[in-house]
Structures are given as C-alpha cells and as structure tokens.
Amino acid sequence: MILRLTGKKVLALVALWPACLLYGRADSVPAQGYVPEYLVMRQKQVELFYQSPDSKVAGEYLAWAAAFSPAPEFLSRESVRGLKIYLAPSEGEFYRLTGGKLPEWGVACAMPRLDLIVVRSPRLVPLWKENPRRILLHEICHVFLDQQLRPAEIPRW
C-alpha cells in the first residue's frame, strides 16, 4: 500500500510517534460475553464509562481527556473525535475489554480503529509507576494519530 500523506500529516506522525511507543496496545474488538453495567459521563467529544466505585476518579479522567490538545502547536486546532474510554473495574473486565492481549503489567490500551481506550481502574493498580494522566494522554495520542492519518495503516512495533 502506498501512503500519500500531506506535509502536515507527516509532521504529525513524526511529532507524535515517539509518544506512541511506550505502552502496550491492542486493535481487536473487545470480547463478547457478560457486559457489566456502566455509568457514563460525556464532555466534548469524549464518553467515559465507569462503575460507581470509580466515581471519584472518573471525573478527573474525563477532564483530562476532554482537555487533550496535541503538540506540536499547529495541530492544536484539531481535537480527538468520538473517543470512548472505559475504566475497567476488575481484572476480568480489563481482560475482556482488551481481548487479553496485554501483559499483566499493562495498565492501559488504545484501540485506535475503534476510537477506544481501556484503562485499569486505579483501584486495581496500587503502585502506579507512571502518572495516570500521562498514561491516559499517551493512549489518546494513539487514537488521535490514527484519526488524523486514516485510512493509512500506522506501523506498530
């Protein structure tokens, strides 16, 4: 496949690509089966799905995602569109939503083609090695980059 990218999109790829190499990802449709009930919050183009034990942090995650502004500056006119974020309330639900494709130490996963991010509830990760806001913004970069470059396939390694 030959990619035809404008100068703006090539610069976006070069600028954002290093941020997209740090954490695990999956690109499959979440597994089917039992689906627990979720509450939902919406702000701008972001929907955040959570359960009541995560009510306190859900608002923070939504605010971080809704305030996402890409770098470099010339991309700041753009915003992520139709983003869905799930705060997985249990290890089993995280496994179900990600299709079991992440290592046990993975705390978040972007599925860019689905405009979807799955994050382990902070209740499940007692000692975060990274800042949760930074992790979420990193995953949003995966989705944003994919949205900007569609239908091109972005290499992953």
Side-chain angles (χ1 to χ4, degrees), residues 41-43 46-48 50 53-68 85 87 119 121-123 128 131-134 136-137 140:
M41 292 180 179
R42 292 177 180 86
Q43 188 176 344
V46 180
E47 290 183 305
L48 186 123
Y50 67 100
D54 292 316
S55 295
K56 288 183 181 180
V57 297
E60 285 181 283
Y61 277 70
L62 181 63
W64 296 336
F68 172 78
I85 301 170
L87 282 178
V119 181
S121 164
R123 295 177 296 104
W128 283 78
N131 179 309
R133 180 177 179 270
R134 184 174 175 171
L136 180 63
L137 294 178
I140 293 172

mmCIF file of all heavy atoms in Angstrom, residues 41-43 46-48 50 53-68 85 87 119 121-123 128 131-134 136-137 140:
data_model
loop_
_atom_site.group_PDB
_atom_site.id
_atom_site.type_symbol
_atom_site.label_atom_id
_atom_site.label_comp_id
_atom_site.label_asym_id
_atom_site.label_seq_id
_atom_site.Cartn_x
_atom_site.Cartn_y
_atom_site.Cartn_z
ATOM 1 N N MET A 41 -20.229 9.387 31.569
ATOM 2 C CA MET A 41 -20.087 10.842 31.614
ATOM 3 C C MET A 41 -19.673 11.281 30.218
ATOM 4 O O MET A 41 -18.915 10.576 29.544
ATOM 5 C CB MET A 41 -18.976 11.268 32.580
ATOM 6 C CG MET A 41 -19.232 11.032 34.013
ATOM 7 S SD MET A 41 -17.760 11.634 34.923
ATOM 8 C CE MET A 41 -18.288 11.299 36.575
ATOM 9 N N ARG A 42 -20.138 12.453 29.806
ATOM 10 C CA ARG A 42 -19.776 12.983 28.489
ATOM 11 C C ARG A 42 -19.293 14.425 28.619
ATOM 12 O O ARG A 42 -19.870 15.203 29.367
ATOM 13 C CB ARG A 42 -20.975 12.948 27.553
ATOM 14 C CG ARG A 42 -21.408 11.565 27.189
ATOM 15 C CD ARG A 42 -22.668 11.573 26.307
ATOM 16 N NE ARG A 42 -23.070 10.221 25.978
ATOM 17 C CZ ARG A 42 -23.845 9.467 26.736
ATOM 18 N NH1 ARG A 42 -24.313 9.934 27.881
ATOM 19 N NH2 ARG A 42 -24.162 8.244 26.368
ATOM 20 N N GLN A 43 -18.267 14.731 27.855
ATOM 21 C CA GLN A 43 -17.781 16.104 27.764
ATOM 22 C C GLN A 43 -17.099 16.249 26.414
ATOM 23 O O GLN A 43 -16.252 15.428 26.055
ATOM 24 C CB GLN A 43 -16.797 16.400 28.896
ATOM 25 C CG GLN A 43 -16.394 17.848 28.982
ATOM 26 C CD GLN A 43 -15.500 18.119 30.183
ATOM 27 O OE1 GLN A 43 -15.399 17.320 31.104
ATOM 28 N NE2 GLN A 43 -14.842 19.244 30.167
ATOM 29 N N VAL A 46 -15.904 13.256 24.104
ATOM 30 C CA VAL A 46 -15.406 12.133 24.906
ATOM 31 C C VAL A 46 -16.532 11.540 25.736
ATOM 32 O O VAL A 46 -17.303 12.264 26.364
ATOM 33 C CB VAL A 46 -14.266 12.597 25.852
ATOM 34 C CG1 VAL A 46 -13.753 11.432 26.685
ATOM 35 C CG2 VAL A 46 -13.146 13.249 25.071
ATOM 36 N N GLU A 47 -16.610 10.209 25.729
ATOM 37 C CA GLU A 47 -17.517 9.475 26.626
ATOM 38 C C GLU A 47 -16.650 8.616 27.529
ATOM 39 O O GLU A 47 -15.755 7.919 27.047
ATOM 40 C CB GLU A 47 -18.446 8.560 25.834
ATOM 41 C CG GLU A 47 -19.480 9.272 25.026
ATOM 42 C CD GLU A 47 -20.397 8.286 24.325
ATOM 43 O OE1 GLU A 47 -19.867 7.418 23.594
ATOM 44 O OE2 GLU A 47 -21.612 8.373 24.519
ATOM 45 N N LEU A 48 -16.916 8.676 28.829
ATOM 46 C CA LEU A 48 -16.165 7.879 29.785
ATOM 47 C C LEU A 48 -17.141 6.942 30.495
ATOM 48 O O LEU A 48 -18.125 7.389 31.071
ATOM 49 C CB LEU A 48 -15.446 8.762 30.808
ATOM 50 C CG LEU A 48 -14.553 7.942 31.720
ATOM 51 C CD1 LEU A 48 -13.127 8.442 31.644
ATOM 52 C CD2 LEU A 48 -15.055 7.959 33.131
ATOM 53 N N TYR A 50 -17.740 4.012 33.372
ATOM 54 C CA TYR A 50 -17.163 3.639 34.660
ATOM 55 C C TYR A 50 -18.238 3.015 35.537
ATOM 56 O O TYR A 50 -19.422 3.055 35.219
ATOM 57 C CB TYR A 50 -16.569 4.875 35.353
ATOM 58 C CG TYR A 50 -17.615 5.885 35.762
ATOM 59 C CD1 TYR A 50 -18.076 5.948 37.072
ATOM 60 C CD2 TYR A 50 -18.178 6.747 34.829
ATOM 61 C CE1 TYR A 50 -19.065 6.853 37.442
ATOM 62 C CE2 TYR A 50 -19.157 7.657 35.182
ATOM 63 C CZ TYR A 50 -19.599 7.702 36.489
ATOM 64 O OH TYR A 50 -20.577 8.588 36.851
ATOM 65 N N PRO A 53 -17.762 2.508 42.024
ATOM 66 C CA PRO A 53 -16.565 2.610 42.876
ATOM 67 C C PRO A 53 -15.505 3.563 42.311
ATOM 68 O O PRO A 53 -14.641 4.031 43.043
ATOM 69 C CB PRO A 53 -16.032 1.176 42.928
ATOM 70 C CG PRO A 53 -17.207 0.318 42.641
ATOM 71 C CD PRO A 53 -18.052 1.109 41.675
ATOM 72 N N ASP A 54 -15.586 3.859 41.022
ATOM 73 C CA ASP A 54 -14.613 4.746 40.384
ATOM 74 C C ASP A 54 -15.171 6.144 40.129
ATOM 75 O O ASP A 54 -14.580 6.922 39.375
ATOM 76 C CB ASP A 54 -14.131 4.140 39.060
ATOM 77 C CG ASP A 54 -13.307 2.892 39.281
ATOM 78 O OD1 ASP A 54 -12.449 2.908 40.186
ATOM 79 O OD2 ASP A 54 -13.530 1.904 38.559
ATOM 80 N N SER A 55 -16.274 6.480 40.779
ATOM 81 C CA SER A 55 -16.907 7.782 40.552
ATOM 82 C C SER A 55 -15.960 8.950 40.799
ATOM 83 O O SER A 55 -15.977 9.931 40.052
ATOM 84 C CB SER A 55 -18.141 7.937 41.442
ATOM 85 O OG SER A 55 -19.114 7.002 41.076
ATOM 86 N N LYS A 56 -15.149 8.872 41.837
ATOM 87 C CA LYS A 56 -14.257 9.987 42.176
ATOM 88 C C LYS A 56 -13.241 10.252 41.072
ATOM 89 O O LYS A 56 -13.009 11.395 40.692
ATOM 90 C CB LYS A 56 -13.531 9.722 43.493
ATOM 91 C CG LYS A 56 -14.413 9.833 44.710
ATOM 92 C CD LYS A 56 -13.618 9.620 45.980
ATOM 93 C CE LYS A 56 -14.528 9.706 47.194
ATOM 94 N NZ LYS A 56 -13.791 9.495 48.441
ATOM 95 N N VAL A 57 -12.617 9.202 40.551
ATOM 96 C CA VAL A 57 -11.577 9.401 39.543
ATOM 97 C C VAL A 57 -12.147 9.570 38.135
ATOM 98 O O VAL A 57 -11.485 10.125 37.271
ATOM 99 C CB VAL A 57 -10.538 8.258 39.551
ATOM 100 C CG1 VAL A 57 -9.814 8.207 40.872
ATOM 101 C CG2 VAL A 57 -11.159 6.933 39.206
ATOM 102 N N ALA A 58 -13.365 9.123 37.911
ATOM 103 C CA ALA A 58 -13.955 9.208 36.571
ATOM 104 C C ALA A 58 -14.004 10.653 36.076
ATOM 105 O O ALA A 58 -13.676 10.934 34.921
ATOM 106 C CB ALA A 58 -15.353 8.584 36.558
ATOM 107 N N GLY A 59 -14.382 11.570 36.939
ATOM 108 C CA GLY A 59 -14.437 12.976 36.555
ATOM 109 C C GLY A 59 -13.068 13.527 36.180
ATOM 110 O O GLY A 59 -12.947 14.311 35.231
ATOM 111 N N GLU A 60 -12.036 13.105 36.906
ATOM 112 C CA GLU A 60 -10.672 13.537 36.575
ATOM 113 C C GLU A 60 -10.253 13.020 35.208
ATOM 114 O O GLU A 60 -9.722 13.776 34.391
ATOM 115 C CB GLU A 60 -9.675 13.019 37.607
ATOM 116 C CG GLU A 60 -9.690 13.730 38.936
ATOM 117 C CD GLU A 60 -8.637 13.145 39.857
ATOM 118 O OE1 GLU A 60 -8.876 12.055 40.411
ATOM 119 O OE2 GLU A 60 -7.569 13.775 39.989
ATOM 120 N N TYR A 61 -10.488 11.732 34.965
ATOM 121 C CA TYR A 61 -10.111 11.141 33.682
ATOM 122 C C TYR A 61 -10.848 11.833 32.535
ATOM 123 O O TYR A 61 -10.267 12.098 31.484
ATOM 124 C CB TYR A 61 -10.403 9.631 33.678
ATOM 125 C CG TYR A 61 -9.314 8.810 34.322
ATOM 126 C CD1 TYR A 61 -9.104 8.853 35.695
ATOM 127 C CD2 TYR A 61 -8.499 7.983 33.576
ATOM 128 C CE1 TYR A 61 -8.108 8.099 36.293
ATOM 129 C CE2 TYR A 61 -7.497 7.226 34.157
ATOM 130 C CZ TYR A 61 -7.316 7.294 35.521
ATOM 131 O OH TYR A 61 -6.319 6.543 36.110
ATOM 132 N N LEU A 62 -12.130 12.113 32.729
ATOM 133 C CA LEU A 62 -12.907 12.784 31.688
ATOM 134 C C LEU A 62 -12.356 14.188 31.423
ATOM 135 O O LEU A 62 -12.196 14.594 30.270
ATOM 136 C CB LEU A 62 -14.385 12.858 32.075
ATOM 137 C CG LEU A 62 -15.288 13.524 31.040
ATOM 138 C CD1 LEU A 62 -15.301 12.749 29.733
ATOM 139 C CD2 LEU A 62 -16.701 13.661 31.594
ATOM 140 N N ALA A 63 -12.045 14.917 32.471
ATOM 141 C CA ALA A 63 -11.499 16.271 32.307
ATOM 142 C C ALA A 63 -10.156 16.227 31.570
ATOM 143 O O ALA A 63 -9.902 17.051 30.682
ATOM 144 C CB ALA A 63 -11.343 16.947 33.665
ATOM 145 N N TRP A 64 -9.285 15.277 31.912
ATOM 146 C CA TRP A 64 -8.001 15.149 31.234
ATOM 147 C C TRP A 64 -8.204 14.872 29.742
ATOM 148 O O TRP A 64 -7.542 15.470 28.906
ATOM 149 C CB TRP A 64 -7.162 14.035 31.837
ATOM 150 C CG TRP A 64 -6.744 14.237 33.262
ATOM 151 C CD1 TRP A 64 -6.624 15.428 33.948
ATOM 152 C CD2 TRP A 64 -6.390 13.215 34.193
ATOM 153 N NE1 TRP A 64 -6.213 15.198 35.235
ATOM 154 C CE2 TRP A 64 -6.060 13.851 35.424
ATOM 155 C CE3 TRP A 64 -6.322 11.828 34.120
ATOM 156 C CZ2 TRP A 64 -5.652 13.145 36.545
ATOM 157 C CZ3 TRP A 64 -5.918 11.121 35.247
ATOM 158 C CH2 TRP A 64 -5.586 11.774 36.443
ATOM 159 N N ALA A 65 -9.111 13.937 29.450
ATOM 160 C CA ALA A 65 -9.334 13.564 28.051
ATOM 161 C C ALA A 65 -9.968 14.710 27.260
ATOM 162 O O ALA A 65 -9.570 14.981 26.124
ATOM 163 C CB ALA A 65 -10.220 12.312 27.975
ATOM 164 N N ALA A 66 -10.944 15.385 27.842
ATOM 165 C CA ALA A 66 -11.626 16.471 27.144
ATOM 166 C C ALA A 66 -10.685 17.650 26.903
ATOM 167 O O ALA A 66 -10.867 18.403 25.942
ATOM 168 C CB ALA A 66 -12.848 16.923 27.936
ATOM 169 N N ALA A 67 -9.680 17.812 27.747
ATOM 170 C CA ALA A 67 -8.731 18.924 27.600
ATOM 171 C C ALA A 67 -7.551 18.570 26.692
ATOM 172 O O ALA A 67 -6.678 19.407 26.473
ATOM 173 C CB ALA A 67 -8.215 19.345 28.975
ATOM 174 N N PHE A 68 -7.537 17.367 26.147
ATOM 175 C CA PHE A 68 -6.420 16.938 25.298
ATOM 176 C C PHE A 68 -6.180 17.940 24.180
ATOM 177 O O PHE A 68 -7.094 18.336 23.468
ATOM 178 C CB PHE A 68 -6.706 15.556 24.693
ATOM 179 C CG PHE A 68 -5.696 15.131 23.661
ATOM 180 C CD1 PHE A 68 -4.461 14.642 24.052
ATOM 181 C CD2 PHE A 68 -5.982 15.231 22.311
ATOM 182 C CE1 PHE A 68 -3.529 14.246 23.106
ATOM 183 C CE2 PHE A 68 -5.053 14.838 21.361
ATOM 184 C CZ PHE A 68 -3.824 14.345 21.755
ATOM 185 N N ILE A 85 -13.788 5.952 26.481
ATOM 186 C CA ILE A 85 -12.814 5.479 27.465
ATOM 187 C C ILE A 85 -13.555 4.613 28.477
ATOM 188 O O ILE A 85 -14.577 5.028 29.009
ATOM 189 C CB ILE A 85 -12.134 6.650 28.202
ATOM 190 C CG1 ILE A 85 -11.419 7.562 27.196
ATOM 191 C CG2 ILE A 85 -11.167 6.125 29.268
ATOM 192 C CD1 ILE A 85 -10.930 8.857 27.802
ATOM 193 N N LEU A 87 -13.071 2.706 32.113
ATOM 194 C CA LEU A 87 -12.298 2.422 33.318
ATOM 195 C C LEU A 87 -12.714 1.015 33.744
ATOM 196 O O LEU A 87 -13.810 0.812 34.268
ATOM 197 C CB LEU A 87 -12.620 3.412 34.434
ATOM 198 C CG LEU A 87 -11.988 4.786 34.339
ATOM 199 C CD1 LEU A 87 -12.431 5.663 35.496
ATOM 200 C CD2 LEU A 87 -10.480 4.685 34.303
ATOM 201 N N VAL A 119 -8.657 1.490 30.356
ATOM 202 C CA VAL A 119 -7.701 1.757 31.427
ATOM 203 C C VAL A 119 -8.103 0.930 32.642
ATOM 204 O O VAL A 119 -9.286 0.865 32.988
ATOM 205 C CB VAL A 119 -7.707 3.256 31.819
ATOM 206 C CG1 VAL A 119 -6.694 3.537 32.916
ATOM 207 C CG2 VAL A 119 -7.457 4.135 30.612
ATOM 208 N N SER A 121 -8.820 0.390 36.325
ATOM 209 C CA SER A 121 -9.203 1.292 37.404
ATOM 210 C C SER A 121 -7.999 1.512 38.306
ATOM 211 O O SER A 121 -7.263 0.563 38.610
ATOM 212 C CB SER A 121 -10.348 0.682 38.213
ATOM 213 O OG SER A 121 -10.485 1.351 39.444
ATOM 214 N N PRO A 122 -7.801 2.742 38.774
ATOM 215 C CA PRO A 122 -6.700 2.986 39.710
ATOM 216 C C PRO A 122 -6.797 2.123 40.970
ATOM 217 O O PRO A 122 -5.794 1.864 41.621
ATOM 218 C CB PRO A 122 -6.830 4.465 40.058
ATOM 219 C CG PRO A 122 -7.610 5.058 38.953
ATOM 220 C CD PRO A 122 -8.496 3.968 38.420
ATOM 221 N N ARG A 123 -8.000 1.642 41.285
ATOM 222 C CA ARG A 123 -8.151 0.749 42.442
ATOM 223 C C ARG A 123 -7.419 -0.569 42.239
ATOM 224 O O ARG A 123 -7.069 -1.251 43.192
ATOM 225 C CB ARG A 123 -9.634 0.455 42.708
ATOM 226 C CG ARG A 123 -10.454 1.644 43.112
ATOM 227 C CD ARG A 123 -11.930 1.309 43.287
ATOM 228 N NE ARG A 123 -12.563 0.871 42.039
ATOM 229 C CZ ARG A 123 -12.871 -0.391 41.722
ATOM 230 N NH1 ARG A 123 -12.652 -1.365 42.567
ATOM 231 N NH2 ARG A 123 -13.438 -0.678 40.565
ATOM 232 N N TRP A 128 1.142 2.895 41.017
ATOM 233 C CA TRP A 128 1.323 3.376 39.645
ATOM 234 C C TRP A 128 2.770 3.787 39.471
ATOM 235 O O TRP A 128 3.286 4.596 40.238
ATOM 236 C CB TRP A 128 0.417 4.578 39.376
ATOM 237 C CG TRP A 128 -0.999 4.225 39.139
ATOM 238 C CD1 TRP A 128 -1.919 3.906 40.086
ATOM 239 C CD2 TRP A 128 -1.666 4.144 37.892
ATOM 240 N NE1 TRP A 128 -3.120 3.642 39.501
ATOM 241 C CE2 TRP A 128 -2.999 3.785 38.152
ATOM 242 C CE3 TRP A 128 -1.279 4.358 36.577
ATOM 243 C CZ2 TRP A 128 -3.949 3.618 37.149
ATOM 244 C CZ3 TRP A 128 -2.221 4.192 35.575
ATOM 245 C CH2 TRP A 128 -3.537 3.826 35.864
ATOM 246 N N ASN A 131 2.455 8.410 35.959
ATOM 247 C CA ASN A 131 1.348 9.287 36.281
ATOM 248 C C ASN A 131 0.119 8.866 35.473
ATOM 249 O O ASN A 131 0.198 8.754 34.242
ATOM 250 C CB ASN A 131 1.772 10.718 35.925
ATOM 251 C CG ASN A 131 0.703 11.729 36.184
ATOM 252 O OD1 ASN A 131 -0.426 11.579 35.756
ATOM 253 N ND2 ASN A 131 1.078 12.787 36.862
ATOM 254 N N PRO A 132 -1.040 8.607 36.109
ATOM 255 C CA PRO A 132 -2.232 8.156 35.369
ATOM 256 C C PRO A 132 -2.653 9.134 34.269
ATOM 257 O O PRO A 132 -3.095 8.713 33.205
ATOM 258 C CB PRO A 132 -3.312 8.044 36.436
ATOM 259 C CG PRO A 132 -2.595 7.997 37.730
ATOM 260 C CD PRO A 132 -1.276 8.669 37.538
ATOM 261 N N ARG A 133 -2.498 10.428 34.504
ATOM 262 C CA ARG A 133 -2.845 11.420 33.482
ATOM 263 C C ARG A 133 -1.944 11.261 32.258
ATOM 264 O O ARG A 133 -2.405 11.270 31.122
ATOM 265 C CB ARG A 133 -2.711 12.828 34.053
ATOM 266 C CG ARG A 133 -3.052 13.911 33.056
ATOM 267 C CD ARG A 133 -2.955 15.305 33.723
ATOM 268 N NE ARG A 133 -3.245 16.333 32.772
ATOM 269 C CZ ARG A 133 -2.339 16.929 32.001
ATOM 270 N NH1 ARG A 133 -1.063 16.594 32.115
ATOM 271 N NH2 ARG A 133 -2.704 17.861 31.140
ATOM 272 N N ARG A 134 -0.674 11.069 32.510
ATOM 273 C CA ARG A 134 0.284 10.899 31.410
ATOM 274 C C ARG A 134 -0.027 9.634 30.602
ATOM 275 O O ARG A 134 0.049 9.629 29.370
ATOM 276 C CB ARG A 134 1.694 10.857 31.974
ATOM 277 C CG ARG A 134 2.746 10.785 30.927
ATOM 278 C CD ARG A 134 4.116 10.881 31.530
ATOM 279 N NE ARG A 134 5.089 10.676 30.485
ATOM 280 C CZ ARG A 134 6.367 10.864 30.622
ATOM 281 N NH1 ARG A 134 6.848 11.258 31.765
ATOM 282 N NH2 ARG A 134 7.186 10.649 29.627
ATOM 283 N N LEU A 136 -2.984 8.163 30.285
ATOM 284 C CA LEU A 136 -4.204 8.395 29.510
ATOM 285 C C LEU A 136 -3.913 9.267 28.286
ATOM 286 O O LEU A 136 -4.364 8.954 27.174
ATOM 287 C CB LEU A 136 -5.281 9.048 30.378
ATOM 288 C CG LEU A 136 -6.600 9.336 29.653
ATOM 289 C CD1 LEU A 136 -7.255 8.045 29.183
ATOM 290 C CD2 LEU A 136 -7.533 10.119 30.557
ATOM 291 N N LEU A 137 -3.158 10.335 28.462
ATOM 292 C CA LEU A 137 -2.850 11.209 27.326
ATOM 293 C C LEU A 137 -2.016 10.482 26.279
ATOM 294 O O LEU A 137 -2.189 10.697 25.075
ATOM 295 C CB LEU A 137 -2.143 12.473 27.810
ATOM 296 C CG LEU A 137 -3.007 13.389 28.686
ATOM 297 C CD1 LEU A 137 -2.190 14.591 29.150
ATOM 298 C CD2 LEU A 137 -4.271 13.826 27.976
ATOM 299 N N ILE A 140 -4.475 8.478 24.323
ATOM 300 C CA ILE A 140 -5.244 9.364 23.452
ATOM 301 C C ILE A 140 -4.422 9.713 22.214
ATOM 302 O O ILE A 140 -4.970 9.822 21.106
ATOM 303 C CB ILE A 140 -5.701 10.626 24.213
ATOM 304 C CG1 ILE A 140 -6.728 10.243 25.291
ATOM 305 C CG2 ILE A 140 -6.311 11.651 23.254
ATOM 306 C CD1 ILE A 140 -7.097 11.372 26.230
#
